[in-house]
């Protein structure tokens, strides 16, 4: 989907990083019409949250399944084949060539979009070096984006800081999905490469992933609406 085709409301993806399907459903009910797109990640998926993917899809919500798969190519291919039946819109895999190739094969002609996680937004250059990489964050993100594009991956997870340089590499053929979003004044937590919602959209991000600033807020709907207002202003 090109940026012009994405409904402004769908650009905010709320991460349902909550301890149980019941807690997640309560949050979805509380957010009501203010949120159309949800992310299901480790915490919820491993607490029995996978059936919620289909339930949310039946309610007309879109679901980003953030499982960050990484295994030998054949296992990734078979896993993704199974996941195509869950009803999710996006699925993440780590941006390693065998993994991305397996995921694209497993997706086949299904509507599920594969997103490759370039470099986690909680990493900076020092963290990468400590993990044994010699490249900087921006060099590794760009190298992985090029490989993802060649392998037919549909989109990239990156920080808003890399959106500008990635657009020059992948154009608008791939969706750029950015966690590391913090409204002004919100606690950073473990995120290191961050930006406000308005600045991330102005930089060219297609989708913003926001977890704790929404789901831990006293009034989650008010925070979601404020993010939508920033998005609308940035889109002009
Ligand atoms: O590089 C990445 C990839 C995924 N995430 C996920 O996004 C949310 C962010 O939550 P916040 O509470 O807004 O920090 C979380 O589920 C991560 O697993 C990411 O942060 N960075």
């Amino acid at each position: 989907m090109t940026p012009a085709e994405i409904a402004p409301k769908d650009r905010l993806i709320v991460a349902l990083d909550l301890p149980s399907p019941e807690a997640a459903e309560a949050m979805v009910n509380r957010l009501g019409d203010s949120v159309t797109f949800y992310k299901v990640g480790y915490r919820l998926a491993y607490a029995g949250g996978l059936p919620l993917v289909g339930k949310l899809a039946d309610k007309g919500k879109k679901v980003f399944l953030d499982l960050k798969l990484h295994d030998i190519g054949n296992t990734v291919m078979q896993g993704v084949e199974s996941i195509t039946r869950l009803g999710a819109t996006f699925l993440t895999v780590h941006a390693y060539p065998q993994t991305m190739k397996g995921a694209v094969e497993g997706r086949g002609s299904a509507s599920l979009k594969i997103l490759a996680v370039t470099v986690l937004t909680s990493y900076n250059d020092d963290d990468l070096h400590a993990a044994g990489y010699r490249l900087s964050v921006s060099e590794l993100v760009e190298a992985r984006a090029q490989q993802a594009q060649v392998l037919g991956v549909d989109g990239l997870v990156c920080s808003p800081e890399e959106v500008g340089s990635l657009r020059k590499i992948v154009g608008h053929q791939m969706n750029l999905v950015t966690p590391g979003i913090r409204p002004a004044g919100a606690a950073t937590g473990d995120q290191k490469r961050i930006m406000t919602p308005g600045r991330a959209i102005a930089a060219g991000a297609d989708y913003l992933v926001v977890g704790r600033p929404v789901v831990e807020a006293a009034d989650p709907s008010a925070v979601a609406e404020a993010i939508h207002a920033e998005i609308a202003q940035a889109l002009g």
Side-chain angles (χ1 to χ4, degrees), residues 46-162:
Y46 294 135
L50 281 184
L52 195 59
V53 176
K55 276 193 183 178
L56 287 171
D58 289 345
K59 281 189 182 182
K61 306 291 185 188
K62 295 190 169 67
V63 183
F64 169 5
L65 197 42
D66 188 15
L67 297 182
K68 299 188 188 72
L69 302 184
H70 186 39
D71 206 317
I72 61 170
N74 184 61
T75 298
V76 172
M77 187 265 287
Q78 291 173 333
V80 172
E81 235 171 42
S82 299
I83 290 168
T84 58
R85 293 186 277 278
L86 296 182
T89 297
F90 289 151
L91 168 72
T92 45
V93 302
H94 278 288
Y96 285 76
Q98 291 180 10
T99 300
M100 294 190 284
K101 188 168 177 287
V104 169
E105 278 170 21
R107 178 207 61 197
S109 60
S111 60
L112 178 71
K113 302 286 179 213
I114 304 296
L115 305 179
V117 179
T118 54
V119 174
L120 292 166
T121 53
S122 60
Y123 278 57
N124 60 21
D125 288 344
D126 289 341
D127 296 312
L128 266 193
H129 297 154
Y133 291 90
R134 274 180 288 178
L135 299 179
S136 66
V137 167
S138 58
E139 287 167 339
L140 188 56
V141 167
E142 288 176 23
R144 287 179 164 172
Q146 273 159 354
Q147 289 177 329
Q149 188 177 36
V150 169
L151 290 167
V153 168
D154 304 295
L156 300 167
V157 176
C158 60
S159 97
E161 292 178 6
E162 293 97 44

Side-chain angles (χ1 to χ4, degrees), residues 166-227:
L166 290 187
R167 278 287 175 229
K168 291 186 191 136
I169 296 170
V170 304
H172 289 286
Q173 303 314 306
M174 297 177 88
N175 283 141
L176 300 183
V177 180
T178 58
I181 301 297
R182 287 292 179 268
T188 307
D190 52 354
Q191 298 285 6
K192 293 199 178 136
R193 305 194 328 276
I194 61 170
M195 223 177 252
T196 63
R199 285 189 57 219
I201 290 289
D206 291 316
Y207 295 92
L208 312 182
V209 178
V210 189
R212 289 163 286 186
V214 172
V215 300
E216 292 181 2
D219 186 348
S221 290
V223 176
E225 291 299 352
I227 294 172

